[in-house]
């Protein structure tokens, strides 16, 4: 089972992934947690290039192709082998991030980026994508808080430095895209406590697992 988590900064994706991992492992499943960008060895190098404030002069097209390169490597080297080994894969961001950020955020064509994503993922789409939905005001306030708590430097802050308007476009883009793929993508409001949100996430994942069992 391949599950991805999406949303703007500060939606609590990593907390939800950790809680879901715990739940799945308690049911006896083996779980791999991974992320984009940076889920593979080469991807870790691309992540540094992509998120560094030094690289503010990157063109939107160059940025797009680096995210796609990261994805192609990640799918081939990490996600597909883990699925073949029978693991559940939980990825913090995947192809929908490119549509939300590079298309809706930066103004490229969503359908064109969807076609490029299709090439990058090599036919491997998630069984379920959880879109954690929150207002950009709330999300960014949480992200700034978290960075301060974790003592993160500004070196990884290229996207946190984007305007509120940019994140509002990204959020709307995600919501529009969830309507385009209603079977695969599910919107979960990310405003309650982590435990409340986890309850919604777990209900969706358990329903999917039960449906898969029925078809097996
Ligand atoms: P994060 O992993 O800490 O969320 O940071 C990754 C940043 O990269 C985040 O701001 C979203 C951005 N991003 C894109 O713009 N396009 C993509 O395809 C992906 C995977 C991430």
């Amino acid at each position: 089972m391949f599950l991805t988590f999406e949303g703007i900064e500060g939606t609590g994706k990593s907390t939800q992934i950790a809680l879901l991992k715990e739940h799945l492992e308690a049911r006896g499943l083996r779980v791999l947690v991974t992320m984009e960008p940076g889920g593979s060895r080469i991807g870790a190098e691309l992540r540094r290039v992509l998120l560094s404030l030094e690289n503010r002069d990157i063109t939107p097209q160059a940025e797009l192709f680096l995210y796609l390169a990261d994805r192609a490597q990640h799918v081939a080297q990490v996600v597909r082998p883990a699925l073949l080994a029978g693991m559940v894969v939980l990825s913090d961001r995947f192809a929908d991030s490119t549509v939300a950020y590079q298309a809706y955020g930066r103004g490229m064509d969503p359908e064109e980026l969807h076609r490029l994503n299709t090439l990058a993922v090599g036919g491997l789409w998630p069984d379920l994508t959880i879109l954690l939905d929150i207002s950009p005001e709330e999300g960014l306030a949480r992200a700034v808080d978290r960075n301060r708590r974790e003592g993160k430097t500004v070196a990884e802050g290229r996207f946190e430095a984007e305007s509120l308007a940019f994140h509002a476009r990204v959020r709307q883009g995600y919501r529009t895209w969830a309507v385009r793929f209603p079977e695969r993508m599910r919107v979960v409001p990310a405003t309650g406590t982590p435990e409340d949100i986890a309850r919604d996430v777990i209900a969706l994942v358990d329903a999917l697992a039960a449906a898969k069992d029925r078809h097996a």
Side-chain angles (χ1 to χ4, degrees):
M1 200 160 47
F2 179 27
L3 309 172
T4 61
F5 283 76
E6 297 283 356
I8 59 169
E9 283 30 49
T11 47
K13 289 187 290 301
S14 36
T15 304
Q16 290 307 316
I17 288 173
L19 292 171
L20 180 60
K21 177 177 194 273
E22 223 170 81
H23 169 78
L24 294 170
E25 285 180 343
R27 288 185 36 191
L29 296 163
R30 287 183 307 132
V31 178
L32 176 79
V33 172
T34 185
M35 66 171 175
E36 288 192 0
S40 64
R41 185 186 59 78
I42 291 173
E45 297 194 29
L46 295 174
R47 181 181 176 93
R48 198 202 58 76
V49 173
L50 278 162
L51 301 187
S52 167
L53 279 170
E54 277 167 30
N55 294 333
R56 263 179 293 208
D57 60 338
I58 193 166
T59 72
Q61 288 74 17
E63 179 188 63
L64 166 68
F65 284 109
L66 291 184
Y67 278 117
L68 293 169
D70 170 73
R71 184 156 307 128
Q73 193 69 18
H74 185 218
V75 168
Q77 251 184 0
V78 178
V79 179
R80 206 184 283 280
L83 292 172
L84 286 173
M87 299 183 85
V88 176
V89 177
L90 308 182
S91 186
D92 187 336
R93 300 192 179 282
F94 193 63
D96 303 305
S97 279
T98 297
V99 172
Y101 283 79
Q102 278 64 55
Y104 289 101
R106 300 249 187 264
M108 289 186 233
D109 174 15
E111 294 299 332
E112 188 172 19
L113 298 206
H114 178 60
R115 285 191 292 278
L116 291 171
N117 263 333
T118 303
L119 195 65
V121 306
L124 188 75
W125 289 98
D127 297 294
L128 176 68
T129 297
I130 308 274
L131 170 55
L132 295 173
D133 185 50
I134 202 173
S135 75
E137 288 83 359
E138 222 174 315
L140 287 183
R142 284 203 211 169
V144 167
D145 247 23
R146 176 201 58 207
N147 288 355
R148 198 174 305 130
R149 265 199 322 276
E150 293 177 357
K152 249 200 198 171
T153 58
V154 287
E156 271 215 341
R158 205 161 65 75
F159 278 86
E160 278 92 338
E162 291 280 356
S163 69
L164 210 54
F166 174 82
H167 287 99
R169 287 198 301 278
V170 172
R171 186 222 191 169
Q172 259 333 105
Y174 268 130
R175 289 161 63 106
T176 304
W177 208 239
V179 174
R180 167 93 160 72
F181 292 101
E183 288 299 308
R184 175 175 64 82
M185 293 182 75
R186 293 300 162 89
V187 183
V188 172
T191 40
T193 66
E195 291 71 27
D196 289 339
I197 301 166
R199 215 165 297 128
D200 291 349
V201 169
I202 286 170
L204 288 170
V205 173
D206 283 352
L208 172 73
K212 276 191 164 260
D213 283 348
R214 273 197 302 277
H215 288 117

